[in-house]
Amino acid sequence: MSGGEVAGILVAVFWAILVSFLAVALARLAQTLKATTKLVADVTDQAVPLLADASQAVRSAQTQIDRVDAIATDVQEVTSNASALSTTVASTFGGPLVKVAAFGYGVRRALGGRKEAPEGQVPEKSPRRTVIVGRTVPAARRKRNLRGKRD
């Protein structure tokens, strides 16, 4: 055998091994593609009903949102009516009620300010108090404090 024949045999063996590896790789790729096809078919079979359910849920949610929108519109209308009613009541009864309350306060003040004193005696005046820097000072101390501030 010559060197060219040995080289030819080596190349032929190399190609045979290469083709064998490629055949095994293609067989495994074919199995992977079959498994992928089956998986996609299963996902499709399960996804179609899920999408139908999701579509129905979205339609139901839209119906509920429309109902809530109608309720919100009604509540807004009721609120504006209640506001108008309270404004009307306040303007109708508010002025006279304030006047009646002021009159009643004045009458109570006028009647409560007069204390009955025994005959011949002048009713005692309550000692006046002055507020200085947030404190109440009796009349005796007030005079002393005011003199001290003038000097």
Side-chain angles (χ1 to χ4, degrees), residues 39-93:
L39 179 66
V40 168
D42 290 344
V43 167
T44 303
D45 290 343
Q46 293 176 2
V48 171
L50 287 176
L51 289 174
D53 290 345
S55 176
Q56 182 181 2
V58 168
R59 281 192 217 103
S60 175
Q62 182 62 37
T63 303
Q64 295 301 325
I65 288 173
D66 291 342
R67 288 180 184 171
V68 168
D69 188 37
I71 290 170
T73 303
D74 292 344
V75 167
Q76 185 178 9
E77 185 177 336
V78 167
T79 303
S80 64
N81 289 342
S83 176
L85 179 63
S86 69
T87 303
T88 302
V89 168
S91 65
T92 302
F93 297 113

Side-chain angles (χ1 to χ4, degrees), residues 14-146:
F14 173 75
W15 278 107
I17 293 172
L18 181 64
V19 169
S20 298
F21 282 127
L22 288 176
V24 170
L26 287 175
R28 289 190 179 173
L29 181 62
Q31 290 175 353
T32 304
L33 287 175
K34 285 180 185 177
T36 304
T37 304
K38 183 181 177 190
L39 179 66
V40 168
D42 290 344
V43 167
T44 303
D45 290 343
Q46 293 176 2
V48 171
L50 287 176
L51 289 174
D53 290 345
S55 176
Q56 182 181 2
V58 168
R59 281 192 217 103
S60 175
Q62 182 62 37
T63 303
Q64 295 301 325
I65 288 173
D66 291 342
R67 288 180 184 171
V68 168
D69 188 37
I71 290 170
T73 303
D74 292 344
V75 167
Q76 185 178 9
E77 185 177 336
V78 167
T79 303
S80 64
N81 289 342
S83 176
L85 179 63
S86 69
T87 303
T88 302
V89 168
S91 65
T92 302
F93 297 113
L97 285 177
V98 168
K99 290 177 184 176
V100 167
F103 178 74
Y105 176 75
V107 168
R108 278 194 316 259
R109 179 104 173 159
L111 294 177
R114 295 186 182 161
K115 294 182 179 176
E116 295 292 326
E119 284 187 37
Q121 290 184 356
V122 178
E124 291 184 27
K125 291 184 178 178
S126 62
R128 295 187 61 185
R129 296 181 181 258
T130 303
V131 176
I132 298 176
V133 192
R135 298 183 323 190
T136 303
V137 179
R141 286 184 58 198
R142 180 178 64 232
K143 289 179 185 175
R144 186 175 44 176
N145 285 343
L146 291 177

